[in-house]
Amino acid sequence: MKCWIWIVMLLSGAAQAGCERPWRVGYDDWPPYHYRNQEQVLTGFAVQVLEAVAKRMDCYVVFRERPWKRTLQGVASGDLDIAMEATQSEARSRYAYFSDPYSPGLILLWVREGEQDGATSLREWLEQGKRLGTTREFDYGDPVMQLLAEHAKQVTPLVEEERNYGKLQLQRIDGFLGDAFATRWKLEQENLLADIVPHQARVIAMPTRFMLSKRRFDPAFVAQFNQALAAFQADREYDALLRRYAPVGVRP
């Protein structure tokens, strides 16, 4: 019993050590993960998850809007404490700890309504000669990036994902890759959810995490953070967020 009390006190002290001042969190405009609503209040899936974790730890959060690359630089330098919606990599692990996953990170193949069948994987779909739209500079994960390189003549990268919507409707491409949450959000805003739908073939899942700067936090604090995150994920509120933001049929 005494050992358990000591562990609890140790973890509690770790949380307090990481909460002596507000967490400085970088964000950019990427709905529905982080964005300002009509009342100009910052909200979104990642924002709400992080705020729920902070509340459970009696911590506070301040958000600072910056481009993604500057957010990463800020976490590395210690100018920022946390980055949201991050995928883990060896390079980033040099300057940041990673929380347990909190977002499914699903990349889907989006096609015209009525054309969801005919392949069980992106590779099989491409081998049928289909034309694919992608978003330039978006990292779809090593396996998919290799597959795209193998079928480069069928792939058209564009600077903005939204341009793929028109190309798909004009039948200049047969499908495009897009994030399960973010693409659904954009299609809903443009009243295209009835016309553009996820294909049955799953592409890849890259679960996303919070990045915590090593200049601010230590492993004991990260363990406490993950405990609070797990508690929230077991809560109905987390399930409600998934139902709100994830397309039907693609929730984890």
Side-chain angles (χ1 to χ4, degrees), residues 154-166:
Q154 298 166 242
V155 179
T156 304
L158 296 174
V159 175
E160 297 178 350
E161 178 186 299
E162 290 84 346
R163 292 182 59 191
N164 282 314
Y165 307 167

Side-chain angles (χ1 to χ4, degrees), residues 181-192:
F181 288 17
T183 299
R184 178 190 183 277
W185 180 273
K186 294 174 185 176
L187 291 172
E188 185 175 30
Q189 300 306 303
E190 299 192 23
N191 296 316
L192 291 174

Side-chain angles (χ1 to χ4, degrees), residues 109 111-112 114-130 174 198-202:
L109 172 62
V111 297
R112 290 179 289 271
E115 299 180 3
Q116 296 101 306
D117 300 325
T120 58
S121 67
L122 179 61
R123 177 177 293 279
E124 183 181 347
W125 188 84
L126 285 168
E127 288 175 350
Q128 294 174 355
K130 302 289 189 180
D174 301 300
H199 192 276
Q200 66 172 358
R202 294 296 180 94

